[in-house]
Amino acid sequence: MLVQHCHGAPGIVTCFAQFPDSTIDDLLIAGGEMTWCAGPLRKGPGLCHGTAGNGYAFLKLFGRTGDTIWLDRARAFAMHAVAQHVRDAEVYGQFRYTLWTGDLGLAIYLWNCINAADEFPSLDSFFDRVPAHASV
């Protein structure tokens, strides 16, 4: 079963967390619980198919519900992602510089965990800049 931002529940939670209708709250929370139960990913610390990407589901749920359990879970995933980053840097002898699969995405995720923010790089930034009357 794939439980990663780009293939499953964490991405659904991240993408629909700002949907104004509360009728999907149970679905989003179930997606967050599934992500928590699946645990951090083995693939690495990045956003796409990585621990940080999955952790954004928790940040989004914290932003939507205000329940601090989601912020605590996001921060737990952050600590795991930091350990993955350190391990990968030692194993491969280099850092990964891309936003989606590298350290830049992890750094932004860590910043959001520290600041209890939930802005997913490029997704939220893009939609915040699109005028309401524009079609995407």
Side-chain angles (χ1 to χ4, degrees):
M1 177 172 31
L2 296 175
V3 181
Q4 55 197 43
H5 181 268
C6 55
H7 286 67
I12 296 297
V13 173
T14 300
C15 290
F16 284 97
Q18 277 143 334
F19 188 70
D21 190 340
S22 64
T23 60
I24 65 167
D25 284 357
D26 289 343
L27 175 68
L28 296 177
I29 289 169
E33 289 294 344
M34 180 181 189
T35 304
W36 178 252
C37 289
L41 296 174
R42 292 185 209 153
K43 286 188 172 185
L47 296 177
C48 185
H49 56 271
T51 300
N54 281 16
Y56 264 103
F58 306 136
L59 289 176
K60 290 294 187 178
L61 286 168
F62 172 66
R64 186 172 177 100
T65 68
D67 188 340
T68 57
I69 191 170
W70 299 115
L71 182 58
D72 293 342
R73 289 176 174 184
R75 289 174 172 167
F77 266 46
M79 294 298 92
H80 186 85
V82 167
Q84 288 175 310
H85 160 77
V86 169
R87 182 201 66 218
D88 288 354
E90 289 173 358
V91 168
Y92 301 111
Q94 65 183 23
F95 297 122
R96 299 179 73 183
Y97 298 104
T98 68
L99 172 64
W100 287 99
T101 60
D103 302 324
L104 180 58
L106 172 59
I108 294 169
Y109 175 65
L110 296 174
W111 177 259
N112 280 315
C113 284
I114 291 167
N115 291 291
D118 68 354
E119 185 173 305
F120 193 94
S122 74
L123 178 66
D124 292 324
S125 306
F126 173 76
F127 287 113
D128 288 343
R129 290 191 303 264
V130 175
H133 63 278
S135 61
V136 178

